[in-house]
């Protein structure tokens, strides 16, 4: 049932229906408020009393997707069972579910991939169906077979479709037979590195090496020459074995500078299949999506229909029944090529829900019970525009995002903003650990136009409070405000092309720098005035209590700026370099959010910390800046302080992220060349090769395979 149908019901015949829906949204336990008809939500779940589905569903997953499934189940009147590892015993999805069962210890192989334990949980709780979410067992045909053997419904396609589409080699052959455009390449399994080199030479560089059973960017490498092919074969096979238990690889032509556009399909067990429009997923790092939107700025109606019809052809070829996604690479001339089919609910499904009004989880449950689709292709609209940012606990300054771990000491989602949806499975106090994906949430905004959706996303990112872990909001905000992204001129190479030397944060222009320095100075004075009220005296004793004029020194990096501040009522005027900046707003120093008006422009800043040395850490335009504010006397005395000597990083190798040491390639006494691999660290199922920055002799090795290391831990010393 779509939103306009709900609106008509409420307006003409059943006004109480709308009231019940809004009541359910208001008191929903899930943090993402995603079902309000006109405000925050753009999809609807309306249970039809005559449609009996399941009494109890077990969700074989964790985090935000488990919470997402539980929410729809509650609206449909279905009881839910959560499974969890021992470290997830207090997780949000566990608290939301009607029942919860521990299925093992923290490592995924002993818990969320532990089929025996999950099958036991199904028997103990009497669950009639299982929703696998995405990842883990969602595309595991053996799990689906075991469920079928015990008469438990798998909320997804049957085992034939999972097997056919889960194997990239077989899926490509089936796609060809179904007259779906495919990428030129080798259709068999590549067994050795030398065979990979030979095949790559025949296809022609560049080539893509990827896991046959893979997905999510794992087990994928681009090779531009023979050496990169050998190295890519090694890493891809290791990642594939680690992530999927299957190290088979295939090689195909790499389409340089493409767009990654996917089609959402929905099919039932009665031969009906629909395409629910496209999602643009071109903004990626390490072949993993970062920002998605629906629809795409690039597709015209003719290309959209052609892609949709080919996606449905493929679904029908494997008798697909459930929600699924057919991914394509699209070149600059709008030629499109089949990439893979994901036989599960996709991470980025919310943006499709926003523009179509359909609850995809509800549709999956209906199909699993055997009901026919409620819609025809002509019923599927494109209403407005939706954008999703994947908010990760990652350091965006390291390879566009290396994992960060820690506890969320403060956490506040921007749900008070209009048409903002947050799908998350965490809360204040939650731990981000090395065992699982570092995703914090999916932040979704919706608008009548793309510009409206982008504006809301900018506001949402500025209002999102995350403390305790490093996160990628600085990168997300830079992406969605970059002129190339705003114009729609993007490809999968967007990040390396826009930031060839790596992400450096927001680069301040003169006006923005003055805004930042003025804000920091005003915040410093506001703190001083508050201290006077609380303590009866000011920290700077030489400053009279009634003073309304101050002279300060503000430092940002290597730059120092003298500023003069005057206060009239609630307005602060800051003078620097002959320019004036007026600042006013709610200077509540206890709040994580600082809504200020700066020279007539509304800004949302965040103050992460202030210390007695005058150092203030502000989040401004998405990026964290460390500003130091001192009185004139303190600044003069500070010039006599000795500077701290920086560590010589060329002679040491530290871990850039928390993870597990997979391999150590050197020993004390070895001579290494610049760029030579020293060790390999695995984090979140991704392997990262760490190399020497200069030619030198190895002095000592401080790690060994199998050890867990933290960010900044010393691994190897060079002479």
């Amino acid at each position: 049932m779509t939103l306009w149908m709900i609106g008509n019901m409420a307006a003409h015949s059943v006004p109480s229906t709308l009231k019940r829906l809004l009541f359910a949204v208001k008191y929903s336990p899930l943090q993402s408020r995603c079902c309000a008809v006109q405000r925050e939500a753009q999809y609807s779940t309306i249970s039809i009393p005559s449609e009996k589905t399941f009494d109890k569903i077990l969700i074989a997953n964790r985090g935000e997707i488990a919470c997402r499934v539980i929410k729809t189940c509650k609206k449909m009147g279905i009881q839910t069972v959560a499974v969890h590892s021992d470290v997830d015993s207090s997780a949000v999805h566990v608290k939301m579910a009607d029942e919860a069962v521990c299925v093992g210890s923290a490592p995924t192989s002993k818990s969320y991939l532990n089929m025996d334990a999950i099958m036991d949980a199904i028997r103990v709780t009497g669950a009639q169906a299982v929703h696998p979410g995405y990842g883990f067992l969602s595309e595991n045909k053996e799990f689906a077979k075991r469920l079928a053997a015990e008469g438990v419904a798998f909320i997804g396609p049957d085992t034939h479709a999972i097997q056919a589409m889960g194997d990239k080699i077989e899926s490509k052959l089936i796609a060809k037979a179904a007259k779906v455009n495919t990428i030129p390449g080798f259709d068999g399994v590549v067994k050795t590195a030398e065979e990979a080199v030979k095949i790559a030479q025949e296809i022609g560089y560049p080539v893509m090496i990827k896991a046959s059973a893979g997905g999510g960017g794992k087990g994928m490498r681009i090779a531009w020459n023979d050496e990169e092919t050998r190295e890519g074969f090694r890493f891809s096979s290791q990642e594939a074995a680690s992530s999927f238990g299957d190290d088979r690889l295939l090689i195909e032509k790499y389409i340089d500078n493409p767009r990654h556009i996917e089609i959402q399909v929905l099919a039932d067990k009665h031969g009906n299949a629909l395409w629910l429009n496209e999602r643009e997923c071109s903004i990626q790092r390490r072949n993993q999506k970062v920002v998605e939107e629906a629809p795409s700025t690039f597709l015209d109606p003719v290309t959209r229909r052609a892609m949709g019809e080919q996606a449905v052809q493929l679904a029908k070829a494997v008798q697909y029944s459930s929600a699924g996604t057919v991914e394509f690479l699209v070149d600059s001339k709008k030629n499109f090529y089949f990439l893979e089919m994901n036989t599960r609910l996709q991470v980025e499904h919310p943006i499709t829900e926003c523009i179509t009004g359909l609850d995809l989880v509800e549709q999956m449950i209906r199909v699993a019970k055997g009901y026919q689709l409620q819609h025809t292709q002509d019923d599927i609209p494109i209403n407005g525009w939706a954008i999703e940012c994947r908010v990760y606990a990652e350091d965006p300054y390291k390879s566009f995002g290396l994992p960060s771990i820690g506890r969320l000491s403060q956490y506040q989602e921007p749900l008070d903003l209009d048409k903002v949806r947050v799908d998350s499975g965490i809360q204040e106090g939650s731990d981000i650990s090395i065992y699982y994906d570092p995703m914090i949430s999916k932040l979704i905004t919706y608008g009548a136009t793309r510009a409206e959706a982008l504006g809301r996303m900018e506001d949402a990112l500025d209002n999102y409070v995350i403390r305790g872990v490093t996160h990628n909001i600085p990168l997300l905000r830079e992406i969605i405000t970059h002129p190339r992204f705003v114009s729609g001129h993007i490809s999968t190479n967007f990040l390396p092309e826009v930031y060839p030397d790596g992400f450096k944060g927001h680069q301040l222009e003169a006006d923005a720098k003055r805004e930042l320095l003025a804000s920091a100075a005003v915040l410093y004075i506001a703190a001083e005035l508050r201290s006077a009220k609380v303590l009866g005296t000011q920290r700077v004793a030489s400053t009279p209590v009634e003073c309304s004029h101050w002279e300060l020194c503000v430092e940002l990096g290597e730059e120092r700026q003298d500023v003069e501040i005057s206060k009239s009522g609630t307005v602060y005027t800051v003078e620097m370099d002959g320019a004036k900046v007026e600042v006013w707003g709610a200077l509540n120093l206890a709040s994580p959010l600082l809504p200020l008006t700066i020279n007539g422009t509304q800004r949302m800043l965040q103050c992460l910390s202030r210390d007695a040395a005058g150092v203030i850490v502000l989040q401004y335009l998405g990026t964290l800046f460390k500003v130091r504010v001192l009185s004139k006397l303190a600044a003069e005395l500070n010039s006599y302080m000795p500077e701290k000597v920086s560590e010589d990083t060329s002679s040491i190798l530290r871990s850039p992220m928390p993870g597990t040491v997979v391999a150590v390639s050197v020993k004390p006494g070895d001579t290494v060349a610049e760029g030579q691999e020293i060790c390999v660290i695995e984090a979140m199922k991704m392997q990262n090769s760490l190399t020497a920055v200069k030619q030198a002799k190895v002095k000592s090795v401080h790690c060994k395979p199998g050890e867990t290391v933290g960010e900044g831990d010393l691994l190897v010393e060079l002479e």
Side-chain angles (χ1 to χ4, degrees), residues 401-635:
L402 293 183
S404 169
I405 61 173
R407 176 166 294 176
L408 292 169
S409 57
Q410 193 171 15
Y411 184 73
Q412 182 177 311
E413 296 174 351
L415 290 172
D416 57 329
L417 302 180
D418 191 29
K419 292 185 175 63
V420 171
R421 167 179 168 180
V422 184
D423 280 15
S424 67
I426 48 89
Q427 60 189 1
E428 195 164 286
S430 293
D431 286 313
I432 307 296
S433 75
I434 64 171
Y435 297 108
Y436 310 118
D437 188 271
M439 181 185 285
I440 294 173
S441 72
K442 299 180 307 197
L443 178 63
I444 305 105
T445 58
Y446 174 81
T449 63
R450 186 172 186 261
E452 192 176 299
L454 281 172
R456 289 197 170 107
M457 181 60 74
E458 190 175 337
D459 290 341
L461 290 169
D462 285 343
N463 281 268
Y464 206 147
V465 178
I466 304 172
R467 306 280 192 274
V469 297
T470 305
H471 55 77
N472 68 333
I473 282 180
L475 174 62
L476 295 173
R477 197 184 188 284
E478 285 299 294
I479 290 171
I480 62 125
T481 57
H482 194 280
R484 266 190 62 178
F485 184 86
V486 173
S487 69
H489 180 54
I490 60 176
S491 73
T492 56
N493 294 323
F494 177 88
L495 289 179
E497 287 177 355
V498 172
Y499 308 107
D501 299 321
F503 179 66
K504 307 295 184 184
H506 185 78
Q507 302 303 298
L508 293 171
E509 295 181 353
D511 288 346
K513 185 179 293 184
R514 279 193 290 269
E515 282 190 12
L516 173 64
L517 298 182
S519 299
V522 167
L523 190 62
Y524 174 87
I525 294 300
E528 290 294 311
L529 294 175
R530 186 180 71 164
S531 297
K533 290 180 181 179
V534 174
L535 303 176
T537 182
Q538 298 233 312
R539 291 182 184 177
V540 182
S542 59
T543 306
V545 174
E546 298 300 324
C547 181
S548 60
H549 183 270
W550 301 266
E551 292 185 356
L552 302 173
C553 178
V554 185
E555 298 177 358
L556 178 64
E558 300 297 320
E559 296 183 33
R560 294 181 59 179
Q561 182 71 54
D562 292 330
V563 302
E564 293 186 13
I565 303 178
S566 57
K567 183 175 184 290
S568 176
T570 59
V571 179
Y572 292 85
T573 301
V574 183
E575 294 187 48
M576 64 182 86
D577 279 344
K580 289 186 178 182
V581 181
E582 287 192 342
V583 180
W584 70 93
L587 288 168
N588 180 0
L589 301 180
S591 171
L593 297 174
L594 295 171
L596 301 178
T597 300
I598 308 174
N599 281 347
T601 301
Q602 293 183 342
R603 301 285 192 196
M604 181 62 74
L605 279 70
Q606 296 187 33
C607 180
L608 278 72
S609 65
R610 294 180 295 112
D611 64 23
V615 176
I616 302 174
V617 178
L618 288 175
Q619 181 174 307
Y620 170 71
L621 301 179
T623 295
L624 297 185
F625 293 96
K626 184 182 289 187
V627 184
R628 193 175 190 189
V629 184
L630 300 170
S631 67
K632 280 289 188 68
L633 176 60

Side-chain angles (χ1 to χ4, degrees), residues 393-395 398 401-406 432-436 438 469-470 654-661 681-686 688 690 707-713 715:
E394 291 182 337
D395 185 345
K398 297 177 179 178
L402 293 183
S404 169
I405 61 173
I432 307 296
S433 75
I434 64 171
Y435 297 108
Y436 310 118
V469 297
T470 305
R654 294 187 182 276
S655 178
M657 77 211 90
T660 302
V661 179
I681 303 293
E682 182 178 286
M684 313 299 179
K685 298 294 183 183
M686 295 292 289
N688 302 272
L690 306 184
E707 281 188 345
T708 299
V709 295
E711 181 180 356
D713 284 1
L715 303 176

Side-chain angles (χ1 to χ4, degrees), residues 62-79:
R62 66 179 300 278
E64 64 85 13
I65 190 58
C67 295
R68 167 68 189 88
V69 174
I70 291 171
K71 181 169 186 182
T72 287
C73 287
K74 286 184 179 295
K75 291 179 181 177
M76 296 178 71
I78 301 170
Q79 288 194 314

